[in-house]
Amino acid sequence: MPHASKSAAKRSQKTLERVFSKAGMGSRTEARSWIGAGRVRVNGCVVRNADHWVDLERDHVTLDGKPLRKAAHTYLLLYKPKGYLTTYRDPQGRPTVYDLLQDAGLWLVPVGRLDLDTSGLLLLTNDTAFAEHVMNPDHKVPKTYQVKTATRLTDEQIDQLRRGVPLSDGLTRPAVVTRVRDSATRTFLEVTLTEGRNRQVRRMIEALGSKVLKLVRTALGPIRIGDLPIGKWRHLTAGEVRAFGGSRSPSSVRC
Ligand code: URA
């Protein structure tokens, strides 16, 4: 088999549970329960094994007798409040961003994550290729944060944030940092990073001997949070999706 068609064949093969999450129909956990309940058929036969391989080019998959259909691509911008987890379910029962998206009516994956105590712009989509593109550190998609620190930072400390801070997982990339204002004991900064390591802003500020008191993400790539109320979501416009580059098909975005 020539190389190109071999990899195309590989791409169309997925485990049964993945087929549903990839199509934006539900989480893998939900898919497992549908499969276990005998609601899923492959080529007319009930399959109860979630790890069963299917070839989407050849196999006919149904849920409750209805053929699997790829959901149109949807891209949402949520203003995540502080105190919400960027996960689907929390064993401790804390609120998650999905509690705020119940009216979206679709299974969506977050494009990266924000800490429990961070608020601001969070994108969610069922276009997993888009999510992977935006999160890929090689693409250096800028992320902008408003930061309030527990101490007043010196110019030298701010320069260090710009140049790069040594963290346990290596030196941070150069950042764009603007001092917005100071109070007697605090500094308010705008920080733009081109990487998205775990708790990166908090760890950078802690490495300077200070602490983050408030963290809000206000922009991701070309998208700004604007005047969206906290806890609310909106669809990205077709122009916003296109502005990320690549050949997306924003089939259900609002113009
Ligand atoms: N940096 C952090 O420290 N936390 C976030 O949630 C995002 C960036």
Side-chain angles (χ1 to χ4, degrees), residues 113-116 118 145 193 197-203 215 217:
R113 51 183 61 232
L114 292 176
D115 297 339
L116 180 68
T118 303
Y145 299 89
L193 305 178
R197 302 191 212 169
N198 187 31
R199 299 185 68 255
Q200 184 167 346
V201 176
R202 293 175 198 277
R203 291 192 293 137
L215 186 58
R217 182 155 71 189

